[in-house]
Amino acid sequence: MLNNASERAFKKGLKSQPYDAVIIPGFPYSGDKWDMILQMRIHWAHYLYTKGYTKNIIFSGAAVATPYIESKVMAEYAHALGVPRERIFTEQKAQHSTENVYYSYRMAKGLGFSKIALATDPVQTTYMQKFIKRYELPVEMLPVIVDTLRVLNLYEPKTNTENCKQENFVKLSDKENFIKRFRGTMGKNIVWYEEDLKQSKFRRKYKDRMIPSGAAGH
């Protein structure tokens, strides 16, 4: 069912390609052999770029579970697969999947990109779609199609990730309790820009962590 939903979303998303940028959420990296989720997301990013479906890639993710900054690790692997460095951007603040989407969206806008999509695995796609729809973010979907991945050469390229470590790293789980982390997963820690909150109920709800339109440095 998830794969069928992803295929429908992908076909819909393809109607608006090529995109200025595709957002790829991060995933923890241990410094050893890459995880299957990392393999899936990075190769999918490479696939979307080589097919011409996107002009640029934004990898998103801070160092959350390990000392490695997730977005920087993914950028190194994508470059090793053949994506030019000038087409790769890293958003290094996000600690949760909802933050991956929103903070990367804001980065894309700041870079002058207007056509933006999110590309991730089928499981994460299901609840990220709900987040995007709820807040009416102008982000399309280009989810991983498992059948397409199966025919690709999903090798792990050689690369150096030692420069991707964060100094004085502390795991998120050691800094925040479960409730606070869960709130973060649900997007409760996001600092919003007022212009992105289309509905007045959200502007009222998040007024204490909202950057007003016209604010200095906006």
Side-chain angles (χ1 to χ4, degrees), residues 5-67:
S6 290
E7 287 183 14
R8 290 194 297 271
F10 182 75
K11 288 178 181 178
K12 181 181 177 182
L14 275 187
K15 294 177 182 178
S16 299
Q17 61 89 18
Y19 289 93
D20 294 323
V22 162
I23 299 165
I24 311 290
F27 193 83
Y29 174 73
S30 66
D32 197 1
K33 184 175 175 63
W34 63 359
D35 184 276
M36 183 180 69
I37 301 292
L38 269 179
Q39 178 192 53
M40 178 186 297
R41 294 183 188 178
I42 296 167
H43 270 284
W44 190 247
H46 176 250
Y47 171 78
L48 295 177
Y49 177 78
T50 57
K51 294 291 287 186
Y53 297 152
T54 185
K55 301 172 187 176
N56 301 281
I57 299 168
I58 299 176
F59 291 108
S60 174
V64 178
T66 78

Side-chain angles (χ1 to χ4, degrees), residues 88 104 134 165 176 178:
I88 301 173
S104 295
R134 184 184 188 198
K165 288 184 177 179
E176 298 181 357
F178 172 79

Side-chain angles (χ1 to χ4, degrees), residues 137-189:
L137 296 174
V139 177
E140 299 295 332
M141 307 297 293
L142 285 177
V144 170
I145 304 301
V146 176
D147 287 344
T148 301
L149 275 184
R150 286 194 179 115
V151 301
L152 301 179
N153 179 14
L154 303 183
Y155 70 98
E156 180 175 359
K158 291 183 178 179
T159 188
N160 184 2
T161 56
E162 287 307 298
N163 64 338
C164 300
K165 288 184 177 179
Q166 178 179 306
E167 294 184 6
N168 304 314
F169 169 75
V170 179
K171 289 174 62 174
L172 183 64
S173 59
D174 291 337
K175 294 186 292 185
E176 298 181 357
N177 61 31
F178 172 79
I179 293 175
K180 189 169 184 179
R181 296 199 308 275
F182 180 73
R183 284 177 57 82
T185 300
M186 301 304 291
K188 303 298 184 181
N189 297 334

Side-chain angles (χ1 to χ4, degrees), residues 74-112:
M74 297 175 87
E76 288 299 322
Y77 272 112
H79 176 63
L81 287 175
V83 181
R85 287 200 184 274
E86 63 269 22
R87 296 298 178 184
I88 301 173
F89 300 87
T90 59
E91 185 289 309
Q92 301 178 28
K93 184 170 65 172
Q95 296 182 318
H96 303 281
S97 53
T98 49
E99 295 172 4
N100 288 143
V101 176
Y102 185 64
Y103 292 152
S104 295
Y105 164 70
R106 289 300 311 183
M107 171 180 275
K109 286 189 66 173
L111 290 166

